[in-house]
Amino acid sequence: MTDQAYVTLATNDAYGKGALVLGTSLRNHKTSKRLAVLVTPQVSESMRAVLQKLYDDVRLVDVLDSGDSAHLALLQRPELGVTLTKLHCWTLTHYSKCVFMDADTMVLCNVDELFEREELSAAPDPGWPDCFNSGVFVFRPSIETYEQLLNVCAGKGSFDGGDQGILNHFFNKWSTSDINKHLPFIYNLSSIAIYSYLPAFKQYGADAKVVHFLGKVKPWNFSYNATTKSITGESQELFSLHPDYLTLWWETFTFSVLPLLMEHGVVKESQTGLKAEEVTEAMSHIHLSEPPPPPPISSEERKQKWEQGQADYMGADSFENIQKKLDSFLK
């Protein structure tokens, strides 16, 4: 299918690693589609060379930055401004249909059936379900659409400072017009949703098709010991990502991506603690376990989460617990 492609974006070498894991997962699950990656000038020449080993189409694009510090401050994510560069994907008009996937996603099975969907098909965002999450979406490249999106950027801007605000403003009938454009959440499963609604994860998590490492902390921010298969990092940060998905990402990186990075000098052998010949293609089966319980938080942290609309409605802040607290106070 030379006129259909999965598309991703790398804005630096760190996201290049993510794109390599994503591409490897798509190849491992026998996709019949082409793989395309947009790269900005901040991606090194050596990383681009590695990406060309895996991707059919590596395109250098200019950076589009919203410069919207006020809205980005609300998300506490100033780095999201450059995600507007994602809009370049509509310029890939040599493809008739594409599926965009963020570089911090990873497929768990073949998902080529996504190409049966129409523009703009996406899964709901866990933070505001009337908005779609722009980490995975089906689209049709079009210069006309691209120019209209740029006009929205120049005029109204983005309500969150990033691409998700722009796209939800532009495709503003997604939540009401056509249920067929609502992708099941298993096509964009985030760790945020796993922990906020554990019963649903227990019920449907085994059917997950795409995992999205949503949030500020990414898999490549941690360290991995290939011998012990252990991941190290700040405990609170580790909690934010499901441990088995995180391990799967690191095994894919270590056994399939790292040899390419070492071959092209992006990563030195001395930096890995491994010899090149010790890195094999073997992958072990990962069983998805129930996430560990969240670490206790202070009263002040809990207050801040309430003020930010992040109450733990399925746990400490459930109606039953609130009722008990009220009853105790009234007595």
Side-chain angles (χ1 to χ4, degrees):
M1 300 294 293
T2 58
D3 67 333
Q4 297 182 345
Y6 289 98
V7 182
T8 192
L9 167 68
T11 53
N12 54 44
D13 281 9
Y15 276 86
K17 293 178 181 178
L20 288 167
V21 170
L22 169 61
T24 298
S25 68
L26 286 163
R27 296 288 189 200
N28 286 346
H29 291 293
K30 311 299 183 185
T31 180
S32 64
K33 314 301 180 182
R34 290 176 65 81
L35 302 187
V37 56
L38 305 176
V39 298
T40 65
Q42 288 71 31
V43 178
S44 67
E45 291 286 351
S46 54
M47 177 59 78
R48 292 182 217 172
V50 179
L51 288 166
Q52 287 172 346
K53 292 279 187 178
L54 187 63
Y55 281 80
D56 302 297
D57 194 356
V58 179
R59 297 280 177 123
L60 180 65
V61 295
D62 294 328
V63 174
L64 296 176
D65 193 330
S66 70
D68 191 346
S69 58
H71 286 148
L72 291 170
L74 294 176
L75 288 175
Q76 299 180 337
R77 298 289 301 281
E79 76 279 7
L80 287 181
V82 297
T83 60
L84 289 183
T85 307
K86 185 185 297 188
L87 302 183
H88 282 299
C89 68
W90 267 273
T91 67
L92 302 176
T93 53
H94 52 296
Y95 299 120
S96 63
K97 188 186 290 186
C98 297
V99 173
F100 186 92
M101 305 186 77
D102 276 348
D104 58 353
T105 61
M106 178 177 65
V107 303
L108 306 176
C109 61
N110 186 292
V111 292
D112 285 357
E113 68 272 14
L114 285 174
F115 287 85
E116 298 171 10
R117 305 282 185 141
E118 285 302 324
E119 182 180 77
L120 188 287
S121 292
D125 187 84
W128 195 268
D130 280 346
C131 293
F132 58 82
N133 183 276
S134 60
V136 178
F137 60 85
V138 183
F139 71 101
R140 287 189 177 275
S142 162
I143 295 299
E144 181 181 359
T145 302
Y146 174 68
E147 291 176 347
Q148 289 173 352
L149 285 166
L150 292 185
N151 287 335
V152 172
C153 290
K156 297 183 181 296
S158 169
F159 64 72
D160 66 357
D163 65 276
Q164 187 159 302
I166 286 289
L167 293 177
N168 272 277
H169 176 80
F170 188 80
F171 297 100
N172 56 19
K173 295 182 179 179
W174 172 86
S175 64
T176 57
S177 63
D178 187 355
I179 193 63
N180 289 321
K181 293 182 180 180
H182 285 225
L183 297 181
F185 195 62
I186 56 174
Y187 286 100
N188 193 348
L189 180 69
S190 71
S191 289
I192 290 174
I194 292 171
Y195 289 104
S196 63
Y197 197 6
L198 184 56
F201 177 70
K202 289 179 178 179
Q203 178 72 18
Y204 305 112
D207 299 323
K209 295 175 180 289
V210 180
V211 60
H212 188 180
F213 298 101
L214 196 63
K216 189 173 184 178
V217 181
K218 304 301 180 187
W220 52 83
N221 297 139
F222 300 99
S223 298
Y224 179 68
N225 186 314
T227 303
T228 62
K229 296 186 178 180
S230 60
I231 298 170
T232 56
E234 293 292 333
S235 59
Q236 187 64 37
E237 292 177 346
L238 276 170
F239 163 69
S240 68
L241 302 178
H242 188 286
D244 289 343
Y245 291 132
L246 188 57
T247 299
L248 180 57
W249 189 96
W250 268 103
E251 289 207 343
T252 304
F253 177 80
T254 301
F255 298 123
S256 297
V257 174
L258 186 56
L260 292 173
L261 296 177
M262 294 169 70
E263 178 186 340
H264 287 79
V266 180
V267 175
K268 305 297 182 184
E269 188 173 299
S270 59
Q271 296 174 297
T272 67
L274 298 170
K275 294 185 180 297
E277 59 268 20
E278 293 175 343
V279 182
T280 68
E281 296 294 328
M283 287 290 291
S284 61
H285 177 71
I286 301 297
H287 173 69
L288 289 179
S289 62
E290 182 178 320
I297 63 173
S298 67
S299 297
E300 184 60 30
E301 288 175 316
R302 190 174 174 189
K303 177 184 176 183
Q304 290 177 355
K305 286 184 175 295
W306 269 81
E307 291 172 346
Q308 295 168 2
Q310 298 175 2
D312 180 15
Y313 295 116
M314 298 305 298
D317 304 317
S318 66
F319 176 79
E320 181 181 356
N321 286 338
I322 293 173
Q323 185 71 54
K324 288 179 181 178
K325 194 74 173 179
L326 287 171
D327 290 343
S328 174
F329 177 78
L330 291 173
K331 289 178 182 178

